[in-house]
Amino acid sequence: MNAREDPSQITLSISAVERDTGIGKDTLRVWERRYGFPTPARDANDERTYPMAQVEKLRVIKRLMDQGHRPGRIVAQSMDALEHLSRGEASLQSSQSMAVPVREDLTAYITLLQAQDHDGIRRELLHVLTQDGLQKFVTDLVAPLTTLVGDTWARGDLAVHEEHLYTECVSTLMRQAIAAIPKSALGGGPTVLLTTFPKESHGLGLLMVEGLLTLQGCRCVSLGTQTPVRDIAQAAIAYRADVVALSFSLNMNPNHVVDGLRELNSLLPSTVKVWAGGSAPVLRRRQIEQVLVLQGLTSISEAVDQWRHPQTKAKSKVAAGLHS
């Protein structure tokens, strides 16, 4: 039986495994020596080849790492133990994040994703966007649905490609909607540079914020995700940004968040403000000088208004935010 007839016989190169799982080649080699997993075979050219069973286990390990688990505690565990741990973590996160039952309209999108119904999910998303407008589309649908998609993926009930399909559909529609906002609505400031730090690949929250800021009349310059700190500072100067807005997901290393924000502030002109938001707990636990912590999408208009009217700025930090 060949690999075409039996998927279990398919093997991937180390480069393909890196692309598939998001785990770097060097990390895979270190784990092989340190933990005895993975255990690749060798092809005719003495290159590592990984069977799909090991690739699937690596996917689960990466999912658990994204939830905060350390490799040393999970890499050597059995697949059954890892899946049990993954489902337990997802259930805990869901119970903490969902104070009310999941909306039926949101679960319908999950069903479409699981059916790989690309046309169906795009059609439903477009219908809501057209009917409700960009603001409500972002705050009432995309924000809670993105959380639900993440929770469902963490439980193992959505495949990576299904989560990517969702992200691509939403991103495409939102970019089209942002581009359609009349330019006459712009000009009130501020000019906002949007991006994330290296190792922060979640960009959908950044796009949601771009849409809401553009509706507020801000000029937005998005660099996408994973921009080195010094390049962010250079870009802020080059584009004459008034604000640098950064998004941090739950899994971002707290020290990287704090140290990166401090370094960025040291490189920026004093006139450039830094807004930071997202689900990273460190933003709420530690006070970071010269950083406005943003916590909720619905309060972005307040942050913009306070920038435009600094004389009325409250002494306390504004609560407005960037979801990933």
Side-chain angles (χ1 to χ4, degrees):
M1 183 178 291
N2 59 34
R4 183 181 298 274
E5 296 168 333
D6 182 5
S8 67
Q9 299 302 310
I10 296 174
T11 60
L12 299 183
S13 68
I14 192 170
S15 295
V17 172
E18 180 181 44
R19 290 192 299 269
D20 185 287
T21 65
I23 301 172
K25 298 176 187 177
D26 290 340
T27 299
L28 291 169
R29 296 186 186 103
V30 169
W31 288 359
E32 183 182 336
R33 295 193 302 269
R34 184 175 298 172
Y35 306 122
F37 181 83
T39 54
R42 297 278 181 167
D43 63 14
N45 297 317
D46 201 34
E47 298 289 340
R48 289 174 171 83
T49 60
Y50 298 79
M52 289 307 298
Q54 293 187 29
V55 176
E56 182 59 33
K57 181 176 176 179
L58 288 167
R59 290 171 181 163
V60 177
I61 290 171
K62 181 60 166 64
R63 191 157 65 226
L64 287 166
M65 288 172 59
D66 287 344
Q67 295 169 1
H69 289 271
R70 296 181 179 179
R73 296 181 178 270
I74 59 176
V75 172
Q77 293 192 34
S78 69
M79 184 63 163
D80 287 343
L82 292 173
E83 288 183 335
H84 178 76
L85 184 61
S86 180
R87 289 184 178 276
E89 286 289 332
S91 297
L92 177 60
Q93 290 178 6
S94 295
S95 65
Q96 292 174 336
S97 63
M98 297 180 186
V100 296
V102 179
R103 287 160 36 188
E104 290 186 8
D105 62 318
L106 299 184
T107 59
Y109 287 98
I110 300 298
T111 301
L112 290 171
L113 287 171
Q114 291 169 330
Q116 291 90 49
D117 188 352
H118 174 271
D119 292 335
I121 192 167
R122 189 182 188 284
R123 181 175 59 251
E124 293 301 318
L125 288 169
L126 180 59
H127 172 73
V128 176
L129 176 58
T130 303
Q131 175 178 278
D132 295 345
L134 181 57
Q135 175 117 12
K136 289 190 67 177
F137 178 71
V138 170
T139 59
D140 295 357
L141 176 61
V142 176
L145 181 55
T146 299
T147 298
L148 180 60
V149 167
D151 290 341
T152 308
W153 172 82
R155 290 195 303 270
D157 293 333
L158 271 185
V160 172
H161 66 85
E162 292 164 344
E163 188 271 340
H164 285 188
L165 172 64
Y166 166 74
T167 300
E168 186 61 25
C169 284
V170 172
S171 298
T172 298
L173 289 174
M174 287 190 59
R175 289 192 179 98
Q176 292 172 349
I178 291 169
I181 296 174
K183 297 301 180 185
S184 59
L186 306 179
T191 294
V192 183
L193 185 77
L194 299 110
T195 189
T196 69
F197 282 174
K199 298 186 179 180
E200 177 55 83
S201 60
H202 296 81
L204 190 52
L206 211 60
L207 191 58
M208 287 189 269
V209 172
E210 181 181 353
L212 297 180
L213 286 171
T214 304
L215 286 171
Q216 290 291 317
C218 303
R219 174 176 174 259
C220 293
V221 179
S222 178
L223 302 181
T225 60
Q226 304 194 71
T227 306
V229 172
R230 289 188 175 274
D231 291 302
I232 295 173
Q234 291 174 2
I237 295 169
Y239 292 105
R240 299 181 180 180
D242 301 300
V243 175
V244 173
L246 299 151
S247 178
F248 299 97
S249 67
L250 179 67
N251 308 309
M252 191 68 176
N253 184 298
N255 292 329
H256 292 171
V257 174
V258 175
D259 293 344
L261 287 171
R262 287 173 176 166
E263 180 185 359
L264 179 61
N265 262 319
S266 72
L267 297 171
L268 288 171
S270 60
T271 55
V272 179
K273 307 301 181 184
V274 176
W275 295 355
S279 55
V282 69
L283 295 177
R284 259 66 68 184
R285 293 174 181 169
R286 296 175 62 176
Q287 184 173 353
I288 308 168
E289 291 186 7
Q290 298 179 301
V291 174
L292 182 64
V293 176
L294 310 172
Q295 298 178 7
L297 288 171
T298 55
S299 299
I300 282 181
S301 59
E302 184 181 352
V304 173
D305 185 62
Q306 289 191 359
W307 181 90
R308 290 173 177 165
H309 307 286
Q311 68 275 14
T312 62
K313 181 178 179 181
K315 293 182 180 180
S316 60
K317 289 188 175 181
V318 176
L322 309 174
H323 286 271
S324 300

